[in-house]
Amino acid sequence: PEFGASENITFDTNILGTLNNLELKNFKLKSNRTTFINGQFNFINLIDSKSKPFEMTGQIERLTSKYSELKRILPRILGENIPSNLSTLGVFTLKGNTEISGPSIVANFEALTELGAVVFDLNLSKIKSIDDAQYQGAIQLDNFDLGLLIDQPNFGQITSDFVIQGKGFTLEKLQSNITGTCDAFEVNNYIYKNLNIEGFIKNKIFNGLLAVADENLKMDFDGLIDFSSVENTYDFSANIQNANLNELNIVSRDSISVFQGKVSMDMKGTNLDDIRGFLKFNNTSYKNQNDAYFFKDFQVMSNFNINGVRTISINSPEIIRGTFKGKFIVKEIAIMLKNAFSEIYSQYYIDNVTPNQTLDFNFKIYNKIIEVFY
């Protein structure tokens, strides 16, 4: 009864013991699809598993299959204990050892999948609902397509070595402490090299330390990034020794875009038009194809009052001090400024903007004071 219905399966083995302590020597199983299993297995309480805990040990010399087939062929022995998101692995081949004892699994495997190579040594518990199972151990990934596994198109392949402790095998249920290194990790079509990670990962949340020693990004990050709610939360500090934003596919406007400095951020919001909090830069430089710009301190504050009127304060003693206040769209500020100055000096607007906006600004640039209401 352990084998699924409607499957054409052939197997060959030497059977020893009783039904409740069954040993399968030189076990070979082949399905009419892609599944092939070769190894040594021992089953305890195979018949009495409703009253006594089911146990299985296996030394698997080769297992080739895919998620959907294993669930059909071995619905209770294996099918109930396989995380659902492993369906994205496609056809895989693995070898190693496993022990199932009641609600716990010990698994030590090497696997080749359609997404890449995996080596894992994990202890799992509370596996009755496998997607919520708890785990601890180590996992290595080699040229593994993480983006496809977790359905995040901005991510690509990763080569890494992590020690993990947590629970959850789907992105929505993932909660894990993670420590380790990434030799390579592709984000936005750029492959970052030499990353060290120590922190807590939950559904679209990272809270911890990240050190990057890539040729185009040298950075030490400490803090929280949270994309799990309606509003994004940013609460971190970062010391950026070098960031080539053009090579990292972050900035495309400038053919040269190199940033250095210390950044502190404590903000919440979904986009530039509703974000609030503060952003600070210290000992910062930015270089593009036109010039190099240096400033010691630069701070931006954004907040809203109960009527939805927004105030953006900018404070940089070497560059600019001032405020923007009103109900406005951030990307249209430059257009409104041009229109305001054009109205003063030539009595006509240059460009159309979204209606019903207001902008009151007062700022000081290199000891020149300008006050305008638009």
Side-chain angles (χ1 to χ4, degrees):
E2 294 302 327
F3 295 103
S6 303
E7 292 291 334
N8 185 356
I9 298 169
T10 60
F11 66 91
D12 179 68
T13 187
N14 296 322
I15 302 175
L16 301 174
T18 66
L19 289 177
N20 280 322
N21 190 358
L22 190 66
E23 195 170 357
L24 305 182
K25 294 287 189 179
N26 299 316
F27 178 83
K28 294 182 180 180
L29 178 148
K30 186 175 182 180
S31 76
N32 59 328
R33 304 193 188 198
T34 62
T35 298
F36 179 86
I37 302 174
N38 183 12
Q40 322 296 324
F41 297 92
N42 180 243
F43 301 97
I44 297 176
N45 300 323
L46 190 61
I47 302 300
D48 294 338
S49 60
K50 290 185 179 180
S51 59
K52 299 178 182 179
F54 169 77
E55 297 181 18
M56 184 194 83
T57 59
Q59 293 81 47
I60 299 174
E61 298 170 16
R62 174 190 163 193
L63 190 159
T64 298
S65 189
K66 57 184 179 181
Y67 171 82
S68 58
E69 287 191 27
L70 281 183
K71 285 187 72 71
R72 286 195 302 266
I73 294 172
L74 301 173
R76 189 160 64 88
I77 295 174
L78 292 177
E80 295 176 357
N81 300 314
I82 304 172
S84 60
N85 64 340
L86 295 190
S87 60
T88 59
L89 295 178
V91 177
F92 59 85
T93 297
L94 61 80
K95 65 178 181 178
N97 303 313
T98 185
E99 295 180 16
I100 299 175
S101 179
S104 302
I105 298 178
V106 177
N108 186 341
F109 288 112
E110 299 178 9
L112 291 175
T113 79
E114 292 183 11
L115 298 186
V118 185
V119 177
F120 56 92
D121 185 359
L122 295 176
N123 294 336
L124 297 93
S125 59
K126 298 184 179 180
I127 62 173
K128 187 174 182 180
S129 175
I130 187 63
D131 285 343
D132 293 308
Q134 297 182 359
Y135 48 80
Q136 61 178 3
I139 184 168
Q140 299 174 3
L141 305 172
D142 187 11
N143 294 321
F144 188 88
D145 197 328
L146 181 64
L148 283 178
L149 179 69
I150 63 175
D151 193 26
Q152 292 294 309
N154 290 334
F155 291 171
Q157 292 188 344
I158 182 172
T159 296
S160 62
D161 187 353
F162 292 135
V163 174
I164 59 175
Q165 180 176 3
K167 65 177 183 178
F169 281 98
T170 63
L171 183 62
E172 294 76 16
K173 297 180 179 181
L174 174 67
Q175 298 183 46
S176 180
N177 290 297
I178 183 169
T179 302
T181 60
C182 286
D183 291 334
F185 185 22
E186 184 179 5
V187 181
N188 290 330
N189 296 316
Y190 179 81
I191 300 175
Y192 292 82
K193 303 288 183 65
N194 304 318
L195 290 79
N196 287 277
I197 300 172
E198 180 180 350
F200 175 75
I201 296 176
K202 194 177 176 180
N203 177 20
K204 300 181 182 179
I205 297 174
F206 175 77
N207 188 4
L209 305 174
L210 173 64
V212 185
D214 183 85
E215 64 176 331
N216 288 305
L217 177 63
K218 292 180 173 59
M219 176 186 73
D220 294 302
F221 172 98
D222 182 1
L224 167 73
I225 297 179
D226 182 353
F227 295 146
S228 65
S229 303
V230 175
E231 285 191 324
N232 300 330
T233 299
Y234 309 87
D235 185 5
F236 65 83
S237 61
N239 183 9
I240 303 172
Q241 294 89 47
N242 179 65
N244 190 329
L245 304 180
N246 184 271
E247 291 293 328
L248 298 174
N249 298 323
I250 296 174
V251 171
S252 58
R253 181 188 61 188
D254 295 331
S255 58
I256 298 173
S257 181
V258 179
F259 177 87
Q260 295 176 322
K262 295 181 178 180
V263 182
S264 298
M265 188 174 187
D266 186 358
M267 306 192 92
K268 289 186 177 182
T270 60
N271 54 58
L272 287 176
D273 291 318
D274 64 15
I275 200 165
R276 61 195 183 279
F278 75 83
L279 175 63
K280 294 180 181 179
F281 299 90
N282 296 104
N283 299 319
T284 303
S285 68
Y286 179 75
K287 181 180 180 181
N288 63 14
Q289 65 275 8
N290 299 318
D291 207 344
Y293 309 91
F294 303 91
F295 47 94
K296 185 175 181 180
D297 298 293
F298 192 97
Q299 178 174 309
V300 179
M301 299 280 295
S302 174
N303 59 71
F304 296 81
N305 68 15
I306 58 174
N307 297 317
V309 176
R310 183 179 194 179
T311 300
I312 297 179
S313 302
I314 300 173
N315 184 10
S316 177
E318 298 173 332
I319 302 175
I320 185 173
R321 291 180 180 177
T323 60
F324 296 93
K325 186 174 182 180
K327 294 185 177 181
F328 50 84
I329 299 172
V330 171
K331 69 179 181 180
E332 295 187 3
I333 287 179
I335 299 174
M336 288 191 287
L337 289 175
K338 289 193 296 182
N339 286 348
F341 286 111
S342 181
E343 182 182 22
I344 292 172
Y345 295 108
S346 58
Q347 302 300 313
Y348 70 90
Y349 293 125
I350 298 175
D351 296 302
N352 293 326
V353 297
T354 303
N356 301 319
Q357 295 189 72
T358 62
L359 178 63
D360 183 5
F361 59 94
N362 181 321
F363 58 91
K364 180 178 181 181
I365 302 178
Y366 296 113
N367 297 317
K368 295 181 180 181
I369 299 176
I370 302 175
E371 294 186 27
V372 179
F373 175 77
Y374 174 79

